Amino acid sequence: MKIAAFLRSAALVTSVALIPATTATMAQVDGRASPEFAKLFAVFQRVKASYVEPVDDDKLIRGAIDGMLASLDPHSAYLDGGDLQRLETMIDGQYQGLGLSVVMQDGAVKVVSPFRGSPAEAAGIKAGDFITHIDGRLIVDTKLDDAVAQMRGPKGTAIKLTIFREGREEPLEVSVTRGVIELEPVTSELLSGNIALITVNEFSANVGADVFAQWQALKKKAPGGKLGGLVLDLRNNPGGSLDESVALSDLFLTDGRIVSQRGRARGETMLYDAETVYRGDMAEGVPMIVLINAGSASASEIVAGALQDHRRALIMGERSFGKGSVQSLLPLGKDAALKLTTARYYTPAGRSVQEGGIKPDIAVPQI
């Protein structure tokens, strides 16, 4: 059963098409406005006059804005003061909660991936799961930031999630105990056969430099300072910094395109090429495998796509999430901002990351 069908069967989905607002106040709208905007104003007036109970202007306008942005993609959103504070908390990288990267899709909260070692991963939550209820309360068609705020809380406290998973007819009830979420971005170990395993959990600051340092440390551990292979593990990595994804890719490429960013505005189209920061491929001559799964998104897909197109690495695992878009934060006064998709990523061969993600060279289900 598909998620949309499941939600409809439970009478949970309400879909409303809304027309974009402008900076003009409602009192300024007259016959000179476009017919489309006039329809929106007509609906606003009708609701104000005839709805079963009085409705605040702020509620109607905020609903129109949220609906308009939701009709574009799951990543664009209007952020007020509280939402902006939560965004700053996420950027800081430490908080108490479940350890999930999520987006809004089909009116429900979709899991991009659980973070490694997080309470969510321990509870068995998987990439692609849809969360429809929190502690029995419906969160479908709720603002994503509100749902995220409900999932956060003091460590040691428990929360019950209702989850829809593709391939199952009935929803799952999962209990998760919150913890302190603080990821170690890069870890490594030397496997038998002198195989280097480097795991990148997120693309935060200095990931490229950290991977380089880990590689050098593993070489010192290996007999004779020689490594027989490299496994770069990007599974359940929800992404992060574009610059760090470029820096990581650059470690293994001597020249050529890494990723292109294409947008509607001239300033949103940018090209990123290998700059041989570390004097070429730091692992030259060493066979390389990149592991991905359905929880590998955004910056992870940029790295996998670049190394695949340049035939520098063999990509193994599941098709990645398919989150290949750029969100810009556009201020709207002192206490509000618009998080808007302004560009999309393309691999060196011109493939859109957004459209289908990265297909592995060797498919390994549930890797």
Side-chain angles (χ1 to χ4, degrees), residues 147-220:
V148 170
Q150 291 181 54
M151 286 187 276
R152 288 184 180 162
K155 66 178 181 178
T157 58
I159 185 174
K160 184 172 70 175
L161 304 178
T162 302
I163 289 174
F164 172 84
R165 181 173 293 166
E166 291 284 356
R168 292 182 60 98
E169 291 295 326
E170 299 297 326
L172 298 170
E173 298 288 341
V174 179
S175 179
V176 191
T177 300
R178 297 179 178 97
V180 176
I181 311 303
E182 186 174 11
L183 290 177
E184 188 174 0
V186 181
T187 60
S188 67
E189 61 178 302
L190 185 62
L191 305 178
S192 60
N194 289 337
I195 303 300
L197 171 63
I198 299 179
T199 300
V200 181
N201 295 305
E202 62 172 350
F203 283 85
S204 53
N206 302 316
V207 160
D210 288 346
V211 169
F212 180 77
Q214 297 277 6
W215 173 257
Q216 296 299 323
L218 290 174
K219 285 178 65 177
K220 291 180 180 179

Side-chain angles (χ1 to χ4, degrees), residues 99-119:
L100 286 171
S101 174
V102 295
V103 296
M104 187 66 77
Q105 182 174 315
D106 289 332
V109 176
K110 183 178 182 180
V111 177
V112 175
S113 67
F115 296 137
R116 291 177 187 269
S118 67

Side-chain angles (χ1 to χ4, degrees), residues 14 46 67 126 165 199 218 298 307 321 330 363:
T14 301
R46 180 65 66 176
K126 298 181 178 180
R165 181 173 293 166
T199 300
L218 290 174
S298 187
L307 298 182
F321 186 82
L330 310 175

Side-chain angles (χ1 to χ4, degrees), residues 288-319:
M288 183 176 180
I289 289 176
V290 177
L291 302 181
I292 62 172
N293 63 6
S296 305
S298 187
S300 299
E301 296 174 294
I302 289 174
V303 175
L307 298 182
Q308 184 180 53
D309 283 359
H310 284 283
R311 299 187 178 182
R312 175 58 185 92
L314 199 64
I315 312 301
M316 180 182 295
E318 301 173 310
R319 186 183 289 272

